[in-house]
């Protein structure tokens, strides 16, 4: 088998949810965001593990993502939809009993017309200008919403990963202004907001990245390990080159392992010059360009030929890779290839 092996530690996932849950008061519900295939790890297994740990409410981005969650968890959990009620979603919202987070007047009209009496939440824009109703829209709709069963009033912070950013307080104030006097549960915080402290917790928090072991939840346990099998090993003489474009040339006799994995698997080409794979705890630098399915790795200094090399593991986490690629852990996780074989470990 030549596919990379992704090992997902469900105990760590659950420990991370418990740790985030423990950061807020007992009265605050801690939901879980499992959009984008559970941040790349696998919707079904992630959802099942979190439900067993006590999660009762899940968030996905689009209605299509909810089908699998409903299938594996049954009717006992609530599934909320960030994208709200889009044209064409009515049957899914009804049949799968989803709760759309209504983002605009158009969506609100569509929802109450198509599914009168069906529960919904409202997403408010408090300054990020991404999703949700602006204050003026909300003012117009508030009286109508007051008469309906609104399950949640939510908004999202733009700069929560920077605790000192003035935007956090500004959005907190706008959220208070927009929701004051309304008798529905409220939610403002994802992972970053939870870490900002109790003022930001309201009735429900919506962590995503922290569950999966990523920044800004520095205390998170790592959840993901990625091992790439070595397909072939060869010796190079000085002056020989590795990979497309001859970008790396051996200066001394070298031993190069070709591992299975490449940019088609989410291992971005930009990682090449400064990233190593690990043989246990020994770093082995990438040589030459990363191909679609293959990477050359320098193992000249190893005493044994390895069968696998580790790209994500104890010596190099998701955020280390993100730093090397000039991106964020979210992007590394959600780009994890569907081609990897996924092993879910739970003790
Ligand atoms: C993705 C998302 C979350 C989860 O955010 P994390 O930073 O991953 O914790 C919460 N709320 C909304 C609206 C989101 O889009």
């Amino acid at each position: 088998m030549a596919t990379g092996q992704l090992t997902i530690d469900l105990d760590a996932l659950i420990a991370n949810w418990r740790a985030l849950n423990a950061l807020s008061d007992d009265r605050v519900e801690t939901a879980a965001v499992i959009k984008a295939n559970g941040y790349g790890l696998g919707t079904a297994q992630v959802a099942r593990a979190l439900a067993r740990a006590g999660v009762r409410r899940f968030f996905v981005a689009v209605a299509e993502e909810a089908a699998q969650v409903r299938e594996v968890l049954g009717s006992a959990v609530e599934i909320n939809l960030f994208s709200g009620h889009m044209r064409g979603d009515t049957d899914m919202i009804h049949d799968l009993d989803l709760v759309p987070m209504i983002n605009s007047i158009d969506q609100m009209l569509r929802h109450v017309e198509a599914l009168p009496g069906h529960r919904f939440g409202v997403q408010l824009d408090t300054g990020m200008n991404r999703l949700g109703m602006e204050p003026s829209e909300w003012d117009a709709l508030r009286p109508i919403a007051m008469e309906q069963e609104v399950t949640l009033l939510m908004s999202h912070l733009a700069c929560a990963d920077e605790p000192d950013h003035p935007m956090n307080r500004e959005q907190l104030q706008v959220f208070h202004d927009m929701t004051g006097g309304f008798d529905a549960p409220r939610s403002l915080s994802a992972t970053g907001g939870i870490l900002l402290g109790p003022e930001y917790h309201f009735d429900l928090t919506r962590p995503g990245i922290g569950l999966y072991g990523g920044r800004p939840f520095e205390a998170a346990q790592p959840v993901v390990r990625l091992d790439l099998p070595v397909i072939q090993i060869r010796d190079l003489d000085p002056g020989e080159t590795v990979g497309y474009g001859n970008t790396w040339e051996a200066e001394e006799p070298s031993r190069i392992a070709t591992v299975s994995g490449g940019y088609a698997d989410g291992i971005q080409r930009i990682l090449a010059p400064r990233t190593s794979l690990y043989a246990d705890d020994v770093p082995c630098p990438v040589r030459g360009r990363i191909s679609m399915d293959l990477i050359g790795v320098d193992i000249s200094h190893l005493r044994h030929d390895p069968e696998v090399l580790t790209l994500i593991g104890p010596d190099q986490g998701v955020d280390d890779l993100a730093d090397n690629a000039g991106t964020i852990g979210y992007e590394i996780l959600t780009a994890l290839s569907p081609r990897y074989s996924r092993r879910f470990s739970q003790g």
Side-chain angles (χ1 to χ4, degrees), residues 255-259 277 284-287 295-300 309:
R255 197 161 169 77
I256 298 291
T258 303
V259 299
L277 283 76
C284 305
V286 171
R287 298 301 191 205
I295 304 173
V297 184
D298 200 330
I299 58 163
S300 309
L309 289 165

Side-chain angles (χ1 to χ4, degrees), residues 261-343:
Y263 60 77
D265 299 299
I267 306 169
Q268 302 169 32
R269 291 168 78 250
I270 197 172
L271 288 167
R274 23 179 170 185
T275 299
S276 289
L277 283 76
Y278 286 78
D280 297 320
D281 58 352
V282 182
C284 305
V286 171
R287 298 301 191 205
R289 286 191 187 148
I290 291 173
S291 306
M292 186 184 295
D293 320 296
L294 299 165
I295 304 173
V297 184
D298 200 330
I299 58 163
S300 309
H301 52 301
L302 297 185
R303 258 175 270 145
H304 308 283
D305 286 344
E307 283 185 15
V308 296
L309 289 165
T310 303
L311 183 63
I312 301 174
D315 294 292
Q316 180 167 259
V318 166
D319 286 307
D320 298 315
L321 265 196
D323 289 344
N324 288 357
T327 184
I328 53 177
Y330 299 73
E331 194 179 357
I332 299 291
L333 286 172
T334 54
L336 288 169
S337 184
R339 193 154 65 166
Y340 297 139
S341 76
R342 282 161 167 71
R343 236 193 77 229

Side-chain angles (χ1 to χ4, degrees), residues 5 13 32 37 53 67 85 116 131 133 150 159 165-167 186 197 203 212 217 228 238 242 244 277 291:
Q5 168 108 38
L13 174 83
N37 192 28
H85 193 143
L131 280 183
M133 293 188 208
V150 177
C159 305
H165 202 295
M167 185 69 165
R186 294 185 286 180
D203 302 297
Y212 309 101
F217 188 32
L228 302 180
V242 174
Y244 285 119
L277 283 76
S291 306

Side-chain angles (χ1 to χ4, degrees), residues 27-163:
R27 282 166 305 198
V28 179
E29 178 181 353
T30 304
V33 179
I34 55 170
K35 60 195 179 188
N37 192 28
Y39 284 50
L41 305 188
T43 303
Q45 293 84 351
V46 162
R48 243 186 247 119
L50 289 169
R52 267 200 303 269
V55 179
R56 286 295 160 260
R57 194 188 315 221
F58 293 86
F59 286 84
V60 294
V62 298
E64 286 73 6
E65 294 178 320
Q68 205 184 2
V69 183
R70 186 58 84 210
E71 193 180 303
V72 299
L73 297 185
S75 57
V77 300
E78 182 171 318
I79 306 175
N80 291 359
L81 212 53
F82 286 136
S83 56
H85 193 143
M86 293 290 284
R87 204 191 304 282
D89 283 354
T90 302
D91 285 351
M92 270 186 290
I93 290 172
H94 175 266
D95 298 350
L96 298 171
D97 191 19
L98 312 179
V99 182
M101 300 293 116
I102 299 295
N103 288 298
S104 64
I105 292 178
D106 278 356
Q107 286 200 346
M108 180 84 124
L109 295 176
R110 180 180 297 132
H111 184 72
V112 296
E113 228 162 74
L115 297 173
H118 188 104
R119 294 173 309 150
F120 63 93
V122 175
Q123 183 155 204
L124 302 168
D125 181 57
T126 51
M128 189 177 184
N129 287 308
R130 194 177 66 166
L131 280 183
M133 293 188 208
E134 303 259 335
S136 59
E137 277 181 290
W138 178 231
D139 280 345
L141 274 188
R142 229 176 122 110
I144 308 171
M146 287 271 208
E147 294 162 19
Q148 313 276 335
E149 197 193 339
V150 177
T151 61
L152 192 67
L153 293 176
M154 61 160 285
S155 188
H156 194 51
L157 297 167
C159 305
D161 55 346
E162 298 172 60

